[in-house]
């Protein structure tokens, strides 16, 4: 089958039950998407499928057929740039391992809700775990990004 | 480090890492005499660190700083670079940081090896890194003066240039090669704190961009040409061996390349990708041999600990007449505290990539103790340590786990590589990581506190029963007369002025492997001390903050922290809003004192933490925002454990396996945290860990105000949901 990822179409010869995460990481070498739990509990593997945030560790390759996948490497719009700048400005990343996933969810949130409330942020980011405890700064950064987009 | 570098073969990797590039960058050079001398003995204060091993100045004036500590989130690649940049008088924008290779010149200034741990990165590099910057600055000045034929005192170093009122200016890049030939000044002048321009500034992390756009490379991301992915079948408790397995089923999984028995009774499935290796490993359906641990349970272990607490332990600290005073007490509190095993659960599960061709080996991982990992790998592979190259990537958290006292995960990967002799990466699943041992030890505290007829504190007897971390390791020598600092720290030598006090320790081993977990012994000792101090304040009808201040009057750092905390919260004047309560705790660890006030409520029977105020005395703060992130994170780490986490064993198996049964606080649970620092220019003390210990007791003391129930068995969920 073909996979449509970050604007490219690439033929893939892998078992259709393979979780999308491992296609992305081990086959396509987009290692920005991380493995954290394998059970959709931590959000480190979050990518966009047709613009929606999805836990790629629990999303089979075959379900991606005909759909557009975006990983952290494929982010380049105004919202993404604003989010990534806000991440840097607010000293968000510590170890950084979970942050690709957090950024993917933050970008999806801001595209859907340009002025999110704290509750919106909890709903959109509540599925993510950060062991370094960067949550307070993630919240501030999302509000800052929202403001900067205008 | 970018992915492209990783994909290159070793020689290419080195070239791209910025090290060993002749011509373009001033060559990395450590005199071999010096290297040998350092290998032979631990560094002493007299040890000379050649600046060009740490500072590489390119002709275009970009400056690469070699960081001899692992960047695992604590910000060393930024804060340690700030130390050099301050003295070097360069433009911060020209700075980049890279991780050091393994070499004795990069050894810790206190421990005789290259390592990161004990919240020592800044405190023990403070003099070293500033001096390196200052020496290089002086050598650049000397080189310029020589070229111009003027005296050293006529030239100035500023913003990456050496200047002279008449001769003009020369960039550091132009001078670097000549500067490295100058006599290195052993005691270069260091700046006074009032003149700092970079130290004390909240400079943005040098790794923030690559950690926000997915390009940062962690051990898990390393790929070598032709590399196989390996997932290992390990016993839950070390020492277990495979009795039988279904090798055929594993080989039938698409993508599986091989099944290999290796090490002591383990097996690995090697595959074209991580997923196939994992499915293959699970398909092995391993049955483990019965052994003495097959029926092990944490319930039995705790029962054993409880019994041992009834007998007298080894005395770790004693003053006054504890037993007599307790006998004569008018009122006594007897308290028993239970602390479970805890997994570190860093976001990046353990992993190690090895390329071994039978003669030399290259290893990639977030190495926290690279000297030990180097030696361990060499021993397993049967080659000399200098035939092992260690590459340290970013670590996706550690919290102690990657400072493996036995190099367990490195040895395992090398044992497998020795059999396979092809490039491979051993990847651990979350369950492998959580069930792979090396936990914060389980502990039991028995505390007896006596009061006189006026309800004033008379005596305190504190017995800690717990497992050793250091026994049977290279650090065993740090156990003195049976007393292990990592078990009793925080109770023994307490700063509280208690006239009659004794701390006892009883070592009680279990089949479980143990390790330091962010703040080590303080994870449990601060909890017992600070919740019991709160009980003492209640019985003696004193304000918990004022009583602590009185009992800690001889400790200026504690007093300063309590005063700052009072200012932050309005303690004594203000009160928590209706339905909420405040709790306080203060604790010293790793040389720093942290005080915290928690504001909590109970919602649907569960604790809700609304706010945490933190006052910190950690000496000179090098990067205030970076320092705040450490304390904020420490609170999340400490409270996640206190609220929810435990590792239990039943029938020799670890019960918990993933974030569903080992929960972590999430964004919706995050309190508002405000961190302030006591202003001082004393040298820095630790900060990666000291924010953890007071968080749980502060919350417990606040919860008590609401429930009138003392929580003494952790996690809180055990008692709150009982």
């Amino acid at each position: 089958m073909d996979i449509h990822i970050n604007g490219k179409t690439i033929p893939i010869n892998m078992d259709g039950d393979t979780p999308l995460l491992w296609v992305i990481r081990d086959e396509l070498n987009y290692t920005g998407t991380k493995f954290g739990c394998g059970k959709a509990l931590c959000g480190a593997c979050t990518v966009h499928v047709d613009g929606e945030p999805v836990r790629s560790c629990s999303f089979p390759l075959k379900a991606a057929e005909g759909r557009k996948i975006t990983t952290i490497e494929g982010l380049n719009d105004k919202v993404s740039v604003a989010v990534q700048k806000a991440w840097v400005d607010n000293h968000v990343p510590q170890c950084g391992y979970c942050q690709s996933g957090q950024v993917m969810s933050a970008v999806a949130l801001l595209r859907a809700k340009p002025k999110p409330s704290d509750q919106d942020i909890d709903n959109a980011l509540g599925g993510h775990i950060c062991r370094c405890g960067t949550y307070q700064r993630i919240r501030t950064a999302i509000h800052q990004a929202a403001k900067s987009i205008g | 480090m970018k992915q492209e570098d990783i994909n290159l073969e070793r020689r290419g990797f080195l070239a791209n890492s910025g090290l060993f590039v002749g011509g373009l960058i001033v060559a990395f050079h450590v005199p071999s005499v010096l290297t040998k001398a350092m290998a032979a003995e631990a560094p002493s204060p007299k040890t000379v660190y050649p600046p060009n091993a740490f500072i590489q100045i390119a002709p275009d004036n970009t400056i690469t700083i070699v960081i001899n500590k692992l960047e695992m989130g604590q910000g060393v690649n930024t804060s340690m670079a700030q130390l050099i940049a301050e003295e070097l008088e360069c433009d911060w924008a020209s700075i980049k940081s890279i991780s050091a290779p393994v070499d004795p010149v990069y050894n810790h200034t206190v421990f005789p090896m290259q390592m990161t741990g004990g919240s020592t990165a800044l405190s023990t590099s403070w003099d070293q890194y500033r001096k390196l910057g200052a020496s290089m600055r002086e050598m650049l000045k000397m080189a310029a003066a020589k070229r111009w034929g003027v005296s050293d005192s006529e030239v100035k170093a500023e913003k990456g240039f050496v200047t002279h009122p008449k001769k003009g200016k020369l960039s550091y890049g132009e001078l670097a090669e000549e500067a490295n030939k100058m006599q290195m000044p052993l005691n270069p002048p260091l700046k006074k704190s009032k003149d700092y321009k970079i130290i004390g500034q909240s400079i943005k992390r040098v790794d923030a961009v690559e950690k926000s756009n997915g390009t940062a490379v962690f051990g898990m991301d390393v790929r070598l040409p032709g590399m196989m992915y390996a997932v290992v079948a390990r016993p839950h408790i070390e020492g277990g061996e495979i009795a039988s397995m279904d090798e055929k089923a594993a080989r039938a999984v698409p993508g599986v390349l091989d099944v290999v028995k290796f090490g002591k009774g383990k097996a690995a499935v090697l595959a074209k990708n991580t997923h196939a290796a994992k499915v293959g490993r699970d398909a092995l359906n391993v049955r483990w041999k019965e052994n003495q641990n097959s029926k092990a349970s944490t319930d039995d272990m705790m029962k054993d600990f409880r019994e041992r607490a009834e007998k007298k332990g080894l005395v770790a600290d004693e003053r006054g007449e504890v037993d007599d005073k307790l006998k004569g007490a008018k009122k006594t509190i007897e308290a028993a505290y239970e602390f479970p095993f805890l997994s570190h659960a860093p976001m990046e599960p353990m992993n190690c990539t090895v390329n071994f061709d039978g003669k030399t080996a290259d290893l990639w991982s977030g190495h926290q103790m690279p000297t030990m990992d180097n030696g361990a790998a060499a021993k397993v592979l049967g080659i000399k340590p200098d035939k092992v190259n260690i590459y340290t990537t970013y670590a996706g958290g550690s919290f102690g786990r990657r400072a493996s006292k036995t190099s367990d995960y490195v040895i395992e990967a090398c044992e497998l590589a020795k059999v396979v002799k092809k490039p491979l990466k051993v990847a651990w699943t979350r369950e492998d990581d959580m069930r792979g041992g090396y936990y914060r030890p389980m502990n039991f505290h028995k505390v007896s506190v006596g009061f006189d007829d006026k309800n004033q504190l008379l005596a305190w007897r504190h017995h800690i029963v717990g497992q050793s971390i250091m026994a049977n390791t290279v650090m065993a020598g740090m156990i003195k007369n049976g007393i292990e600092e990592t078990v009793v720290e925080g109770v023994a030598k307490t700063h509280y002025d208690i006239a009659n006090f004794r701390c006892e320790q009883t070592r009680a081993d279990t089949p479980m492997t143990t390790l330091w977990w962010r703040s080590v012994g303080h994870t449990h000792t601060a909890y017992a001390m600070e919740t019991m101090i709160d009980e003492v304040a209640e019985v003696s009808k004193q304000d918990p903050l004022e009583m602590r201040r009185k009992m800690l009057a001889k400790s200026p750092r504690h007093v300063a922290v309590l005063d700052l905390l009072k200012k932050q919260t309005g303690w004594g004047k203000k009160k928590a809003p209706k339905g909420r309560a405040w709790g306080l705790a203060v604790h010293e660890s790793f040389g720093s004192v942290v005080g915290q006030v928690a504001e909590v409520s109970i919602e649907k029977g569960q604790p809700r933490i609304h706010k945490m105020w933190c006052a910190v005395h950690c000496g000179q703060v090098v990067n205030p925002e970076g320092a705040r992130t450490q304390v904020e994170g420490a609170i999340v780490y400490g409270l996640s454990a206190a609220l929810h986490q435990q590792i239990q064993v039943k029938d020799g198996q670890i019960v918990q396996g993933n974030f569903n049964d080992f929960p972590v606080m999430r964004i919706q649970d995050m309190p508002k945290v405000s961190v302030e620092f006591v202003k001082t220019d004393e040298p820095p003390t630790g900060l990666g860990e000291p924010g953890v210990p007071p968080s749980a007791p502060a919350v417990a003391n606040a919860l008590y105000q609401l429930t009138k129930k003392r929580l003494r068995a952790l996690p809180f969920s055990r008692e709150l949901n009982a």
Side-chain angles (χ1 to χ4, degrees), chain A residues 14 19 25-26 29 31-32 34 36-37 39 41 84 93-95 97 126-127 131-132 135-137 139, chain B residues 73 205 211-212 218 220-221 223 274-275 344-345 430-431 625 629-630 632-633 637 658 665-666 668 673:
Chain A
M14 280 177 97
R25 283 184 57 82
D26 293 352
N29 200 15
T31 53
K34 300 302 184 201
C37 72
K39 289 187 173 165
L41 296 165
Q84 286 167 332
Q94 290 184 37
C95 90
Y97 194 80
R131 285 295 269 155
C132 300
Y135 303 123
Q136 173 163 297
R137 288 168 188 274
R139 187 183 301 284
Chain B
R205 293 180 65 115
K211 287 179 173 179
S212 302
F218 298 84
M220 199 62 111
D221 303 330
R223 280 167 67 107
T274 315
H275 178 68
H344 304 77
R430 174 58 54 195
E431 287 79 5
E625 276 304 278
T629 66
Q630 289 308 293
E632 292 160 10
Y637 203 76
N658 210 318
M665 285 171 75
R666 293 167 184 264
Q668 58 271 37
V673 178

Side-chain angles (χ1 to χ4, degrees), chain B residues 341-653:
Chain B
F341 288 109
L342 291 171
S343 169
H344 304 77
M347 284 316 295
E348 180 194 9
M350 302 306 285
N351 59 81
C352 187
T353 300
V354 187
N355 186 10
F356 177 58
D357 61 7
K359 289 179 190 138
T360 62
D362 298 322
L363 267 70
W364 287 261
S365 194
H367 295 282
Q368 203 173 336
M369 301 232 215
T371 310
M372 281 178 56
D373 291 349
N374 188 312
K379 199 175 164 195
V380 169
L381 297 170
I383 56 178
K384 293 211 171 99
D386 64 2
K387 298 290 175 201
V388 176
N389 301 300
I390 297 256
Y391 301 109
T392 300
T393 63
Y394 286 132
S398 170
F399 316 111
R401 180 62 183 92
R402 292 184 153 85
S404 172
K405 60 187 182 182
T406 60
S407 298
D408 65 299
Y409 71 100
V410 171
I411 288 176
E412 181 190 81
C414 289
E415 281 173 343
L416 182 59
K418 196 179 181 181
V419 180
V420 176
K421 288 199 179 64
K422 279 178 196 156
L424 61 87
K425 169 163 69 189
V426 175
W428 297 44
T429 67
R430 174 58 54 195
E431 287 79 5
D432 293 346
D433 193 275
M434 206 166 276
R435 293 172 175 155
Y438 296 91
Y439 304 111
R440 191 285 298 270
M442 198 172 84
N443 282 278
F444 181 81
H445 292 222
K446 180 178 157 66
V447 184
S448 310
V449 175
F451 298 85
D452 65 14
D453 52 3
K454 294 189 182 82
N455 283 325
Q456 296 305 299
L457 177 63
L458 249 189
W460 184 309
R461 186 169 62 207
H462 202 128
H463 189 177
I464 304 172
V465 181
Q467 190 170 349
S468 171
I469 294 175
M470 293 179 171
N472 307 318
T473 73
V474 291
M475 291 100 174
M478 290 167 84
I479 304 173
K480 302 284 182 206
N481 301 318
I483 300 297
E484 184 165 338
E485 184 91 6
T486 60
V487 178
V488 298
E489 59 187 1
V491 174
K493 298 180 197 135
T494 175
H495 290 272
Y496 284 113
D497 188 6
I498 304 170
N500 303 291
F501 177 84
R502 186 166 71 231
C503 172
E504 296 167 28
Q505 182 201 336
T506 294
R507 184 175 143 190
D509 288 350
T510 76
M512 313 283 279
T513 47
T514 58
L515 198 57
W516 14 78
W517 187 100
R518 198 174 188 175
S519 80
V520 198
H522 300 283
T523 54
H524 52 98
T525 57
Y527 188 82
M529 286 301 294
E530 284 301 299
T531 53
M532 184 53 83
I533 280 285
D534 204 64
E535 296 195 43
V536 171
E538 188 188 22
V539 171
S540 60
K541 298 191 170 58
Q542 299 183 71
D543 176 82
L545 191 148
E546 298 303 335
M547 186 191 84
R548 281 178 171 86
R549 203 178 179 287
K550 210 159 58 188
M551 291 176 73
L552 295 163
K554 287 175 197 155
S555 173
R557 282 197 170 195
H558 285 87
V559 171
V561 160
L562 288 169
D563 288 348
L564 177 56
L565 205 47
K566 202 170 161 178
K567 211 172 109 190
Q568 281 174 274
T569 56
W571 186 282
K573 289 179 198 150
K574 288 188 198 162
K575 280 203 162 53
K578 199 164 175 275
R580 298 184 185 182
W582 284 359
L584 163 72
V586 63
H587 192 77
E588 181 192 51
S589 59
F590 309 94
S592 297
V593 176
V594 179
Q596 296 176 357
V597 169
E599 181 174 302
V600 307
S601 68
I602 307 259
E603 287 175 14
K604 293 177 191 149
Q606 298 303 312
R608 170 97 202 153
I609 302 140
H610 299 274
K611 192 156 169 65
M612 298 288 289
W613 290 270
C614 312
V616 180
H617 196 316
C618 60
Q620 168 77 49
V621 179
V622 174
N623 185 319
E625 276 304 278
R628 282 192 187 95
T629 66
Q630 289 308 293
V631 182
E632 292 160 10
I635 285 171
V636 177
Y637 203 76
L639 293 183
S640 291
L643 291 166
H644 308 294
Q645 296 171 350
Q646 59 181 329
I647 291 291
Q648 294 168 297
V649 183
K650 276 185 188 141
D651 292 328
Q653 300 292 296

Side-chain angles (χ1 to χ4, degrees), chain B residues 65-369:
Chain B
I65 307 231
V66 182
I67 305 294
N68 66 350
K69 299 285 179 285
L70 168 67
E71 178 57 83
M72 51 190 173
Q74 81 283 44
V76 284
N77 279 14
T78 308
S79 57
M80 286 175 65
Q82 283 180 259
L83 303 184
I84 284 181
E86 178 70 65
E87 293 293 343
L88 189 55
E89 295 292 357
C90 61
D91 181 5
W92 177 259
S94 65
I95 293 274
K96 74 171 195 173
S97 298
I98 59 168
S99 294
V102 183
D103 189 287
V105 78
Y106 299 120
N107 277 2
H108 196 280
T109 58
V110 175
F111 308 113
M113 60 175 161
Q114 201 170 324
M115 63 85 76
T116 311
S119 292
T120 61
L122 278 179
S123 63
T124 62
S125 307
W126 173 246
D127 283 339
Q128 181 197 26
Y129 267 57
R130 284 183 310 141
K131 275 187 188 168
L132 284 163
S135 296
M136 183 56 97
R137 177 195 68 217
E138 294 303 311
M139 289 156 79
L140 287 159
K141 283 163 68 182
M142 284 183 235
K146 194 178 167 195
R147 200 192 279 193
W148 284 325
V150 300
S151 90
D152 296 355
S153 61
E154 289 174 53
V155 301
K156 261 174 77 178
E158 51 192 355
K159 289 186 179 162
F161 292 87
V162 181
T163 62
H164 183 274
K166 291 192 183 124
K167 303 282 182 188
K169 63 181 191 176
L170 288 167
S171 78
Y172 286 4
E174 288 173 84
L175 292 165
E177 204 164 335
E178 291 158 64
N180 279 314
K181 292 174 191 148
M182 296 291 133
Q183 178 73 35
M184 176 186 155
L186 289 178
N187 285 302
L190 295 176
K191 285 185 180 175
K192 295 208 162 48
S193 61
K194 66 174 174 54
D195 299 321
Y196 290 158
K197 288 177 287 206
I198 292 175
I199 291 173
Q201 298 300 311
S202 290
I203 287 171
K204 284 171 194 150
R205 293 180 65 115
V206 294
D207 53 357
V209 170
E210 55 184 326
K211 287 179 173 179
S212 302
N213 66 19
T215 56
V217 174
F218 298 84
M220 199 62 111
D221 303 330
V222 172
R223 280 167 67 107
L224 304 173
M227 181 180 88
M228 293 193 282
Y229 297 83
V231 173
V232 172
R234 309 180 180 80
H236 282 204
I237 297 180
E238 208 169 76
E241 291 181 44
I242 292 174
S244 67
M245 62 181 192
D246 191 346
E247 199 175 318
K248 214 173 135 193
R251 287 186 186 278
V253 172
V256 167
L257 300 167
D258 205 355
V259 178
V260 175
K261 285 182 191 161
F262 75 105
K264 190 173 170 261
K266 289 184 189 174
V269 173
L270 296 121
K272 287 185 192 165
N273 62 67
T274 315
H275 178 68
K278 194 244 173 212
V279 173
R281 190 276 309 268
D282 293 348
L284 286 174
N285 200 15
V286 167
R287 280 191 49 246
W288 299 91
K289 283 183 192 164
E290 289 287 315
N291 67 14
Q292 73 276 14
N293 300 328
S294 300
K295 292 284 159 223
S297 81
T298 32
D299 284 350
D300 287 346
M301 294 174 208
M302 192 56 93
K303 188 167 163 267
D304 172 53
F305 283 22
R306 226 177 273 130
E307 284 164 15
R308 287 170 189 251
E310 295 307 314
K311 299 182 193 117
K312 193 176 171 183
L314 296 170
V315 176
D317 184 17
E318 184 166 30
R319 63 191 96 132
E321 301 160 333
V322 177
D323 296 323
D324 288 352
K325 296 289 179 191
L326 278 175
K327 260 180 221 152
K330 290 285 177 269
K331 177 183 167 69
T332 315
I333 300 175
E334 298 281 349
Y337 298 87
E338 293 183 12
F339 301 96
F341 288 109
L342 291 171
S343 169
H344 304 77
M347 284 316 295
E348 180 194 9
M350 302 306 285
N351 59 81
C352 187
T353 300
V354 187
N355 186 10
F356 177 58
D357 61 7
K359 289 179 190 138
T360 62
D362 298 322
L363 267 70
W364 287 261
S365 194
H367 295 282
Q368 203 173 336
M369 301 232 215

